[in-house]
Structure formats: C-alpha cells, structure tokens
C-alpha cells in the first residue's frame, strides 16, 4: 500500500497538485508550459467537457474528431515536469481506493507543444522542430534510476567528452518512435538541450555565468550526423520520465529565437498557434 505521504489526495479524492480525478484525464495528453496556452489549444476542440486548475497546473479535457484529449499546463522547468508526470502516471496506474498499483498498467501518449531557441544558424526562426533526443543539463534525473539504451549511452558519453568538466552527468531521454512517425515524420529533427533556467542558458545581463560559452559549445557538438539544435527547459525531463514510466512522449518546438544571431521572432504567437494546429491535425 502506498503511504498517505507518498500519494497525496485532496479532500475530494483528486491528486494533490493537478487537482484531477482519474476520470478527468484522457489517455492522449498535450502539455504546454504557459497556463494561458491551455485555452489556445482547447479552443480547437469540438467540445470541452472539463476545466480544472490549481496553481500553474490548468487542465482542459475535451473531444476532437471523436478523440478524447487532455491539455495540461506544466509551468516552467523540469521540477514542474516531475510533479506532472508522477501525478498523471498515478491517475492511470494507481488504484486510489486501495492505494496499490494496478495489475494492468496504462501507457499514455504525451505531446509537448513548447517554445524554444535555435542554436544552429541554419534553423530559422518560425521553424517547427521535433526533438528526437534530449540532453538534461538540470538535476532532475540525478534522483531517479533510469535504464539507458545503447544509443542514449553513446550520446551521453559524447556529450560528456565534448563539454569537458561540468561537475554533473547530463542525462538523456528519447522521443517515442511511434509518435515521431505519426506526428513528426516530416518535421526537421534534432537533439534538444534542456537547462534548469532561462538566463542560465548563457544569457548575461548583470550576471557572470559559470558556462559563458554554453551556446557556442552546444553549437559545435556533432555525433554521427546529429547536432544539438535547440535549448529549452522541459523536454529532457519529459522524455526521461516518460521512458522510465513506459509512456510515449514527443516534444514539438516552435523556434522563436536564434541564439547564434541573437535574434527573437516578431510574431511568436502566430508560430505557437501554427505548432498547435499542426499537432492537433495529426494527433
């Protein structure tokens, strides 16, 4: 039996942070960072059956072309991804009445629609890019046991050799091949770097960074024809936890900035909406 301090429920029986009951969650989930973006996704649904929220975690569940979908805002960073993934997994794979693991486990389809900055000069702002792999420069997976594929191990070793002494070991996560084939088959693909902060990504206004050449080093990384294409703050955590739990995950990135050229897009909302419509057409 899972202890009360491990599986924390609200008075109505909903999971602690997301404020959701098991019946509230669809098996296909769209993740967005910004709570305001939840409505920007659900406005394309044929109908919305549920709206719930607590803190930065807003959920709309509805139907699009006879398919039930939940869209959930995670807020920013892999610390929030940790909360969201543990709680959505609990919603489908733990019996809240007996506080025990279900005999038959459910695998969810989870698609992130997020914003990101390119670190390659040939990836233009306005591009919709899929993350084939993600490298976690944050600390999330230092606290979990994750099995790595041989390909993930190769990427991890190559990253460590390329970046030199970091003081930590970056972790690797992989996209679902099934979701790539279904949703992102014709999108440009790359390796996404996930960092624990926005300004810590080599940005400097009044700070001195420990890794001031982070973008330059990431830009120069190459492995068997692959390169690090973009920087953001969630994808590696999404992939690593999805791999660990046995869920299918895909991150689709609206490229709003080019860090090589120090440029930011004039019409970010249009590109984000383009990414939303692209994913919903194929989901």
């Amino acid at each position: 039996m899972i202890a009360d301090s491990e599986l924390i429920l609200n008075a109505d029986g909903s999971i602690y942070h997301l404020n959701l009951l098991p019946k509230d969650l669809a098996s296909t989930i769209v993740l967005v960072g910004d709570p305001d973006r939840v409505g920007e996704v659900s406005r394309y649904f044929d109908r919305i059956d549920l709206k719930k929220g607590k803190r930065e975690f807003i959920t709309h569940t509805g139907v699009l072309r006879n398919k039930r979908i939940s869209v959930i805002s995670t807020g920013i960073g892999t610390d929030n991804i940790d909360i969201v993934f543990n709680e959505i997994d609990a919603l489908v794979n733990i019996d809240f009445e007996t506080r025990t693991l279900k005999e038959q486990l459910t695998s969810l389809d989870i698609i992130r629609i997020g914003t990101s900055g390119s670190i390659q000069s040939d990836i233009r702002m306005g591009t919709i890019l899929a993350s084939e792999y993600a490298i976690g420069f944050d600390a999330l997976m230092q606290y979990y046991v994750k099995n790595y594929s041989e390909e993930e191990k190769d990427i991890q070793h190559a990253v460590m050799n390329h970046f030199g002494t970091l003081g930590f070991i970056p972790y690797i996560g992989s996209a679902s091949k099934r979701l790539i084939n279904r949703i992102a088959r014709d999108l440009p693909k790359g390796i996404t770097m996930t960092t624990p902060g926005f300004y810590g990504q080599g940005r400097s206004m009044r700070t001195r960074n420990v890794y001031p050449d982070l973008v330059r080093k990431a830009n120069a990384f190459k492995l068997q024809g692959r390169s690090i294409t973009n920087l953001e703050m969630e994808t590696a955590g999404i992939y690593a936890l999805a791999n660990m739990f046995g869920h299918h995950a895909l991150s689709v990135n609206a490229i709003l900035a080019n860090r090589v050229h120090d440029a930011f897009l004039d019409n970010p909302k249009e590109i984000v909406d383009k990414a939303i419509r692209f994913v919903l057409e194929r989901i």
Side-chain angles (χ1 to χ4, degrees):
M1 183 179 290
I2 300 169
D4 291 352
S5 61
E6 307 299 303
L7 174 62
I8 304 173
L9 301 179
N10 298 311
D12 64 352
S14 61
I15 195 84
Y16 184 60
H17 294 92
L18 298 186
N19 197 35
L20 296 176
L21 297 165
K23 67 180 181 179
D24 296 334
L25 190 70
S27 59
T28 298
I29 300 169
V30 173
L31 296 182
V32 295
D34 185 352
D36 290 340
R37 199 170 293 151
V38 173
E40 293 174 12
V41 177
S42 67
R43 70 191 179 102
Y44 290 111
F45 290 0
D46 297 326
R47 72 171 192 266
I48 301 171
D49 299 323
L50 173 137
K51 291 184 178 182
K52 282 189 175 181
K54 185 178 179 182
R55 304 185 188 185
E56 62 265 62
F57 307 113
I58 307 299
T59 300
H60 292 180
T61 296
V63 175
L64 176 64
R65 298 189 302 274
N66 297 317
K67 186 181 187 70
R68 193 165 183 250
I69 302 169
S70 293
V71 53
I72 303 174
S73 61
T74 65
I76 296 174
T78 56
D79 50 347
N80 280 4
I81 295 301
D82 177 68
I83 291 170
V84 171
F85 263 76
N86 275 278
E87 294 196 358
I88 62 176
D89 183 76
L91 285 164
V92 297
N93 287 320
I94 294 175
D95 185 319
F96 282 15
E97 294 294 325
T98 64
R99 291 180 168 272
T100 57
L101 196 66
K102 293 179 179 178
E103 289 186 11
Q104 186 167 348
L105 299 180
T106 297
S107 179
L108 300 166
D109 284 353
I110 303 164
I111 302 97
R112 171 189 180 267
I113 304 174
T115 58
S116 188
S118 166
I119 59 168
Q120 299 294 335
S121 60
D122 61 341
I123 299 176
R124 296 182 177 182
M125 295 184 297
T127 297
I128 308 299
L129 180 142
S131 304
E132 188 176 13
Y133 295 93
I135 307 165
F137 271 53
D138 61 293
L140 175 61
M141 293 307 292
Q142 311 302 324
Y143 296 87
Y144 291 104
V145 177
K146 176 187 180 295
N147 295 322
Y148 289 93
S149 69
E150 290 304 314
E151 197 163 24
E152 288 174 335
K153 289 178 184 177
D154 289 343
I155 295 172
Q156 185 180 52
H157 293 154
V159 167
M160 291 171 64
N161 289 335
H162 179 76
F163 283 90
T165 304
L166 288 169
F168 60 91
I169 300 175
Y171 63 90
I172 309 297
S174 305
S176 162
K177 288 183 171 54
R178 176 168 63 78
L179 290 182
I180 282 184
N181 290 335
R182 192 173 88 205
I183 295 173
R185 56 190 176 273
D186 50 358
L187 289 180
K189 302 171 187 66
I191 300 174
T192 295
M193 179 188 287
T194 296
T195 62
F198 182 78
Y199 292 99
Q201 297 175 349
R203 289 183 171 93
S204 180
M205 292 187 293
R206 278 176 30 85
T207 57
R208 292 179 61 195
N209 293 340
V210 174
Y211 306 110
D213 62 344
L214 185 68
V215 172
R216 182 187 62 80
K217 288 285 287 186
N219 169 271
F221 177 83
K222 303 292 179 187
L223 178 66
Q224 299 173 353
R226 294 190 176 97
S227 60
I228 298 174
T229 49
N230 59 308
L231 294 176
E232 48 79 270
M233 291 176 283
E234 290 85 28
T235 296
I238 290 170
Y239 282 4
L241 290 177
N243 298 163
M244 189 180 76
F245 281 122
H247 301 304
H248 291 268
L250 174 67
S251 181
V252 176
N253 306 270
I255 301 298
L256 303 186
N258 190 296
R259 298 293 301 281
V260 177
H261 301 306
D262 294 327
F264 192 84
L265 204 63
D266 292 331
N267 57 336
K269 290 194 72 170
E270 291 180 24
I271 303 306
V272 172
D273 184 63
K274 178 183 174 182
I276 290 169
R277 288 185 285 106
F278 179 88
V279 168
L280 291 181
E281 284 170 5
R282 297 188 174 188
I283 207 166

